[in-house]
Amino acid sequence: MKHPFPLKEIALQSGLSLATVDRALHGRAHVSAQTARRVQAAIVELTRQEGQLAARGRRMFIDIVVEAPRRFSDELRRAATQVLPNFAPAVIRPRFHFAEEIGPAKTVAILSKIAKRGSQGILLKAQNVAPIRAEIDRLIGLKIPVVTVFTDCPDCARLAYVGLNNANAGRTAAYLFAQWLQGRGGAVLTTTSRRQFQGEEARAQAFAAEMARLCPQVSLREASGGAGLALGTAAQIRQAVRGLDRLLGVYSMGGANAAILSTLRTVQLEPDFFIAHDLDRENRSLLRQGRLAFVLHHDLRADLDQAFQQITAYHKLRPPVLAEGPADVQIITPSNCPREELA
């Protein structure tokens, strides 16, 4: 692996020891494929950050731990790259820990490893369960600030939550459905990746409550647990719509929307009205094809900027951050869908 970086930089970026990095770089024995990939990923990330490495100022390592489908993680990585130059003269070095399915036990293990090697802060998108909340409390006790992003873990000592006002997003979806249905009755399908994500749970609860008020003639069918991935989501969809002969629409809170549409087509239940979340590449394409009516969106760059501000303020590198509250939802249509930026 050719690279221009000192071993110490690669070790810090990857979280591995100098000896392990040296063995991996020189192809020596006793190096697992996973370790080799971590070293290679660290070199790739250092290359991306090379422009920042020359900047003067304090260097900070911030770990970004995210359980989400790759389509979302790709957008998140791109947004972080765009935001980080705003924090000069401080040099923020992100270490990404992305996985499509982690689970609470592995999430806690990742956070524990981060604590052992040290970190100036953690951005965390994880399930809202007791073991993760307890680990957040432990990290705060170790003076490692944790900011929950996009989905919250309330009732713990996390520094702040940054992301969408998810309950308001659910109410917005219900309003849009009510305007479109105009009093018609029938079934609407709702999907979440996992109800353990507090953000999706807040959307689902607010949507159900507002639909009961605005559209009492509509019944909701729920499909949850597919992790936002195509195969798992498709299986949940088939189970949820069993016995239906008509479907009014879909409110997808957890993604995998191409798989949802494909599955519904195979059982002859294609919806006329479909509301989704997040402007990833898949949703941009579906929106422009007319297969999605609306996408409920929030600006990832603004969220990450706010999250990094929270951590730099914690370290007294800037004045305390005024609490802005969760971000407002944006309603995106084919007409106002922003142009996709080049990676």
Side-chain angles (χ1 to χ4, degrees):
M1 303 179 191
K2 293 184 178 180
H3 61 88
F5 306 108
L7 289 183
K8 183 179 178 181
E9 293 290 340
I10 300 171
L12 285 169
Q13 185 68 36
S14 65
L16 299 168
S17 69
L18 282 170
T20 300
V21 170
D22 183 71
R23 289 199 305 272
L25 289 174
H26 293 92
R28 299 194 180 106
H30 309 299
V31 175
S32 68
Q34 181 182 13
T35 297
R37 287 194 295 270
R38 284 180 63 180
V39 171
Q40 184 61 57
I43 292 172
V44 171
E45 193 57 47
L46 285 169
T47 302
R48 288 175 175 159
Q49 300 169 20
E50 198 167 12
Q52 270 202 284
L53 293 177
R56 295 180 179 178
R58 179 169 173 179
R59 183 178 63 179
M60 303 177 64
F61 284 94
I62 296 180
D63 292 89
I64 304 177
V65 182
V66 172
E67 179 179 359
R70 181 172 176 177
R71 61 179 179 273
F72 182 84
S73 297
D74 285 347
E75 297 294 327
L76 179 57
R77 185 190 294 271
R78 187 192 325 188
T81 301
Q82 293 169 338
V83 163
L84 288 174
N86 299 339
F87 288 84
V91 180
I92 295 178
R93 299 270 298 278
R95 294 187 290 214
F96 296 105
H97 311 264
F98 291 163
E100 294 192 315
E101 291 187 87
I102 304 178
K106 191 171 181 180
T107 300
V108 169
I110 290 170
L111 295 174
S112 178
K113 287 181 181 178
I114 291 170
K116 286 179 181 178
R117 74 166 180 247
S119 178
Q120 278 71 55
I122 298 173
L123 307 189
L124 178 65
K125 179 185 181 295
Q127 298 177 40
N128 178 34
V129 294
I132 292 176
R133 293 194 297 269
E135 184 64 15
I136 292 172
D137 288 340
R138 191 179 78 87
L139 289 164
I140 296 297
L142 295 172
K143 307 299 183 185
I144 300 177
V146 179
V147 176
T148 53
V149 290
F150 317 124
T151 184
D152 198 8
C153 291
D155 302 320
C156 70
R158 54 104 171 105
L159 181 64
Y161 164 69
V162 174
L164 180 63
N165 185 328
N166 286 294
N168 193 41
R171 288 188 288 268
T172 299
Y175 172 82
L176 294 172
F177 262 97
Q179 295 302 304
W180 178 74
L181 288 170
Q182 293 292 305
R184 285 176 289 163
V188 167
L189 176 67
T190 66
T191 71
T192 57
S193 65
R194 293 190 191 280
R195 293 298 287 264
Q196 290 84 358
F197 286 121
Q198 186 272 344
E200 292 184 27
E201 176 69 3
R203 295 173 192 174
Q205 289 183 353
F207 180 74
E210 195 71 351
M211 286 293 285
R213 185 178 75 85
L214 298 175
C215 307
Q217 72 284 6
V218 171
S219 63
L220 302 181
R221 292 285 188 104
E222 179 187 355
S224 179
L229 304 176
L231 290 178
T233 300
Q236 296 295 330
I237 295 295
R238 284 190 290 270
Q239 179 68 26
V241 301
R242 186 170 296 171
L244 282 181
D245 56 12
R246 183 170 174 242
L247 184 65
L248 292 173
V250 176
Y251 176 33
S252 169
M253 293 163 260
N257 298 314
I260 293 172
L261 287 163
S262 177
T263 303
L264 292 174
R265 185 185 302 116
T266 64
V267 295
Q268 299 181 336
L269 285 174
E270 290 187 83
D272 293 326
F273 196 71
F274 196 127
I275 296 178
H277 273 266
D278 301 322
L279 272 181
D280 55 42
R281 291 180 180 177
E282 179 178 275
N283 283 347
R284 289 173 189 269
S285 176
L286 292 173
L287 186 65
R288 287 173 175 145
Q289 293 170 33
R291 303 181 71 190
L292 302 180
F294 301 104
V295 171
L296 301 183
H297 179 60
H298 59 293
D299 188 343
L300 293 182
R301 287 174 296 186
D303 290 343
L304 289 174
D305 185 85
Q306 178 74 4
F308 289 134
Q309 284 189 48
Q310 291 282 352
I311 290 177
T312 51
Y314 175 90
H315 291 288
K316 303 187 186 307
L317 299 180
R318 64 175 56 235
V321 179
L322 296 177
E324 295 184 2
D328 290 331
V329 65
Q330 303 172 26
I331 301 173
I332 306 298
T333 73
S335 299
N336 70 341
C337 183
R339 180 181 62 85
E340 185 174 10
E341 297 178 8
L342 296 176

